[in-house]
Amino acid sequence: NHRLIVPVLKTGQTIEWLSWQGRDLTGTGERKYVFPTNDKSSRTLYGYEQARTCPIMFVVEGAFHKWAFDRLGRKLGNPVIENCAVASFGKKLSPEQEDLIVQSSAQKVVLAWDLDAAPQIHKIAQRLNGKKMVYVMEASPDGRDHDELSDEELLTLMSSIRPYSYELAAEMNARYALMKG
């Protein structure tokens, strides 16, 4: 049904098959993303082994979002952008994923999810506060995902990265409420 299937592996000393992610490439599917039953993707962060030693970690929703950062980083010749994005496979973090972030070398964590994740961003930022410096990257105003943006548009969003604060959380929640109608 025109889905690209991406394997989800936990890498390290051994490789463990956790899941797969399927994305509708046509834009006509009932669901953009599908996962199998017994999905275990929340036990890792896609791209973590490469990003775990980065000074900054961009936490994005899915593999396609991560690949958009990788592409932009290669184009700019910027290894921090190219190598430091990880995918959480959704708009929340499991305790295992939070532990991976805390254990990483990253001093700064940028939550770069869609606007509908505003309530989760607030919860996660509070839990990571004191362990990492938490930042938020604005979502595309028209609702497109990172991988649907041009490199220039993604770079513009990156320039909107701001330190997390209660004021920013209130602003995001208000925009999200307006978006929902």
Side-chain angles (χ1 to χ4, degrees):
N1 62 359
H2 301 99
R3 287 196 186 273
L4 178 63
I5 305 298
V6 179
V8 179
L9 308 171
K10 184 173 184 178
T11 57
Q13 292 182 348
T14 61
I15 296 175
E16 180 184 353
W17 175 273
L18 296 177
S19 186
W20 52 264
Q21 173 188 20
R23 176 167 179 177
D24 173 29
L25 299 176
T26 66
T28 60
E30 184 179 317
R31 294 173 46 205
K32 185 184 250 183
Y33 297 101
V34 293
F35 292 89
T37 53
N38 300 320
D39 174 44
K40 298 176 189 167
S41 60
S42 65
R43 291 180 37 206
T44 192
L45 293 163
Y46 183 73
Y48 179 76
E49 281 304 313
Q50 186 176 19
R52 69 183 174 82
T53 58
C54 290
I56 186 169
M57 184 178 287
F58 299 93
V59 182
V60 299
E61 288 182 35
F64 293 86
H65 302 82
K66 180 208 175 337
W67 295 341
F69 278 80
D70 293 351
R71 179 191 71 226
L72 178 62
R74 278 190 301 278
K75 181 178 181 180
L76 298 175
N78 186 329
V80 171
I81 297 172
E82 180 180 358
N83 300 318
C84 299
V86 297
S88 58
F89 298 111
K91 297 174 176 90
K92 60 184 176 180
L93 293 177
S94 69
E96 294 92 346
Q97 289 171 321
E98 285 185 32
D99 286 346
L100 288 172
I101 291 171
V102 170
Q103 294 167 15
S104 76
S105 299
Q107 298 162 1
K108 299 176 182 179
V109 175
V110 177
L111 300 174
W113 292 331
D114 295 340
L115 186 57
D116 60 348
Q120 281 295 329
I121 289 171
H122 179 65
K123 291 176 190 174
I124 291 163
Q126 287 182 318
R127 289 195 302 262
L128 291 176
N129 189 28
K131 300 172 188 168
K132 301 288 178 180
M133 292 185 291
V134 181
Y135 294 78
V136 177
M137 185 174 105
E138 294 288 333
S140 176
D142 61 9
R144 288 181 294 152
D145 290 341
H146 297 128
D147 60 302
E148 298 171 315
L149 302 173
S150 69
D151 291 337
E152 292 73 25
E153 290 170 316
L154 183 55
L155 194 55
T156 297
L157 284 183
M158 291 185 77
S159 69
S160 74
I161 294 173
R162 298 176 10 202
Y164 172 80
S165 67
Y166 287 105
E167 293 81 13
L168 178 58
E171 180 185 316
M172 290 174 62
N173 283 326
R175 278 199 320 265
Y176 176 55
L178 288 173
M179 181 184 83
K180 286 184 3 180

